[in-house]
Amino acid sequence: RKEVEQDPGPFNVPEGATVAFNCTYSNSASQSFFWYRQDCRKEPKLLMSVYSSGNEDGRFTAQLNRASQYISLLIRDSKLSDSATYLCVVKVLGNTGKLIFGQGTTLQVKP
Amino acid sequence: NAGVTQTPKFQVLKTGQSMTLQCAQDMNHEYMSWYRQDPGMGLRLIHYSVGAGITDQGEVPNGYNVSRSTTEDFPLRLLSAAPSQTSVYFCASISLQRGYGYTFGSGTRLTVV
């Protein structure tokens, strides 16, 4: 079983739609959680951290459920520019900095 | 601009050849790492380092060597290239003290024929 699992998609949605991605992780010692965005043939870039209380950044909302070991990302009012692959990322306990990446979920926003 | 610089951007190797992928960062980050990305597999950790002189293996270290003689540089060596090493390679760094988000290099696309 992979340490971090995501539905690879693709999710095809019209502009303006709301879309949600989920991610599950297997290591209960996981400490920090992130969503990264990766555009085609580019490097991943940090989208947002995920906090236990949930957090929002504009049209993006991230949630963490430690009991069920899943993380979610909600995108409201989808834009064409949101088309990308979204990577769920987990850091296990300790300060080595090592991150575990999910395989990513691909979003395609259509006009 | 500050960041992570990877070279080369593209490389084609013949089976059995060796080469070094270069990675340099100018942010004084303690932690540096190498990942490979393959379709359907996501990013997999090859090797990482928490400071000069300290390296450790990740998930898929076989066929690769690393060294960290300075804080800035973390080269990845392919000892004897194999077609299975055809991939996109990313170098990433992070400050262990600030600990917020990796900075990635732009990647090296390697093809082994």
Side-chain angles (χ1 to χ4, degrees):
Chain A
R1 183 185 172 190
K2 293 180 182 175
E3 289 193 64
V4 179
E5 295 208 57
Q6 296 181 250
D7 180 348
F11 285 59
N12 295 301
V13 302
E15 270 188 293
T18 296
V19 61
F21 309 135
N22 290 329
C23 161
T24 57
Y25 60 94
S26 60
N27 190 336
S28 59
S30 298
Q31 179 185 39
S32 306
F33 309 89
F34 309 91
W35 284 101
Y36 277 69
R37 170 191 170 129
Q38 185 173 25
D39 293 297
C40 188
R41 303 178 77 82
K42 298 283 191 181
E43 72 272 23
K45 292 185 178 177
L46 179 65
L47 179 66
M48 59 195 301
S49 296
V50 186
Y51 302 119
S52 298
S53 55
N55 49 297
E56 194 173 297
D57 183 1
R59 298 180 292 108
F60 298 84
T61 300
Q63 299 272 356
L64 167 64
N65 185 320
R66 285 190 184 271
S68 301
Q69 295 185 196
Y70 81 78
I71 307 150
S72 65
L73 177 67
L74 182 78
I75 305 176
R76 291 182 299 278
D77 189 22
S78 299
K79 311 291 186 192
L80 295 176
S81 57
D82 293 334
S83 297
T85 297
Y86 291 84
L87 304 171
C88 175
V89 184
V90 169
K91 178 175 177 293
V92 298
L93 190 64
N95 66 350
T96 63
K98 188 164 56 174
L99 299 181
I100 309 297
F101 287 77
Q103 69 174 63
T105 298
T106 298
L107 171 66
Q108 294 175 351
V109 181
K110 309 279 189 188
Chain B
N1 291 336
V4 178
T5 303
Q6 278 184 248
T7 56
K9 292 192 183 303
F10 302 93
Q11 183 71 49
V12 179
L13 287 179
K14 292 183 179 178
T15 297
Q17 285 185 315
S18 62
M19 80 160 293
T20 299
L21 279 61
Q22 301 291 344
C23 176
Q25 53 92 10
D26 58 2
M27 298 170 286
N28 203 33
H29 285 172
E30 305 92 335
Y31 182 92
M32 297 185 73
S33 57
W34 278 101
Y35 285 86
R36 60 178 289 174
Q37 187 172 35
D38 303 292
M41 300 294 291
L43 283 144
R44 292 182 293 168
L45 183 64
I46 304 172
H47 285 285
Y48 66 98
S49 168
V50 298
I54 306 168
T55 63
D56 206 346
Q57 296 181 349
E59 182 185 354
V60 287
N62 292 341
Y64 307 95
N65 272 357
V66 292
S67 59
R68 184 95 179 269
S69 56
T70 66
T71 300
E72 294 78 20
D73 299 299
F74 191 45
L76 179 73
R77 296 182 188 86
L78 278 69
L79 308 172
S80 177
S84 60
Q85 293 179 305
T86 294
S87 188
V88 181
Y89 292 84
F90 288 104
C91 180
S93 73
I94 190 170
S95 165
L96 290 176
Q97 277 139 29
R98 290 196 300 278
Y100 186 79
Y102 273 14
T103 300
F104 279 86
S106 58
T108 296
R109 296 185 178 277
L110 176 68
T111 302
V112 182
V113 298

